[in-house]
Amino acid sequence: MLFCGDECTGLLLGDLARLEQMVMSINLTGPLPAPYKMLYGLENMTQELKHLLSPQRAPERLIQLAEGNLNTLVTEMNELLTRATKVTADGEQTGQDAERTNTRAKSLGEFIKELARDAEGIRKNHVLIIISPNRKTQKGMTQDWNFSCYK
């Protein structure tokens, strides 16, 4: 015995009757429209999978590329290290040369200051120096240069 008046069975049977009316109202004699939204989604996924599964994207190929890039990077880093070492050595040599030059410049500066003091002293005392070449000395020897000072 089937009782259709309850709330559950009656509602289900009503929904089924409305669904039957909707299906009957659809014209099934002509061609069915293609589900373009679903087809576009499938096409996009297919293209993405083709790209991901292409030989260029194969894990072995990617590992080879990474190893090649790593080897190139190591070579470039070694070259940079060699250049940096040379630059450092040149910098140290330049520093040593600069120290030597600075020391010599200070020494030359002191020498010039001393010469200037001596020249000033000579100027103040009005010393006259006479240089005469090839004079005979009292003992009969030839003297190349004779310096005589007069005040």
Side-chain angles (χ1 to χ4, degrees):
M1 165 151 171
L2 186 63
F3 180 68
C4 297
D6 67 356
E7 288 183 22
C8 182
T9 308
L11 290 174
L12 287 174
L13 288 175
D15 287 344
L16 189 57
R18 277 192 301 276
L19 186 59
E20 179 185 14
Q21 285 177 348
M22 287 172 53
V23 169
M24 295 308 277
S25 68
I26 296 175
N27 181 6
L28 296 177
T29 58
L32 292 176
Y36 286 110
K37 185 175 183 180
M38 187 180 354
L39 289 175
Y40 283 132
L42 290 173
E43 177 66 22
N44 289 340
M45 282 192 339
T46 302
Q47 292 300 324
E48 187 175 330
L49 288 173
K50 279 183 183 178
H51 174 70
L52 291 175
L53 297 175
S54 69
Q56 290 83 11
R57 301 285 298 172
E60 298 84 18
R61 171 81 174 127
L62 294 176
I63 289 172
Q64 286 176 345
L65 287 174
E67 285 176 348
N69 290 340
L70 179 63
N71 291 336
T72 302
L73 183 61
V74 168
T75 302
E76 289 176 0
M77 287 177 63
N78 285 335
E79 289 173 1
L80 286 174
L81 178 61
T82 301
R83 285 158 121 197
T85 302
K86 287 180 182 178
V87 167
T88 301
D90 290 346
E92 289 173 358
Q93 183 62 44
T94 302
Q96 292 170 358
D97 292 345
E99 278 294 322
R100 276 195 303 275
T101 303
N102 188 32
T103 302
R104 288 178 183 168
K106 285 179 182 177
S107 175
L108 182 60
E110 291 299 319
F111 179 71
I112 291 172
K113 285 180 187 176
E114 189 176 316
L115 280 177
R117 279 192 301 268
D118 291 347
E120 182 63 24
I122 290 171
R123 188 189 66 77
K124 284 184 181 178
N125 291 326
H126 305 286
V127 173
L128 178 62
I129 299 174
I130 298 173
I131 302 172
S132 57
N134 294 327
R135 280 186 26 191
K136 294 229 179 204
T137 61
Q138 293 175 347
K139 296 181 181 178
M141 298 180 74
T142 304
Q143 185 177 16
D144 287 338
W145 295 96
N146 184 24
F147 297 96
S148 303
C149 297
Y150 298 98
K151 216 175 184 183

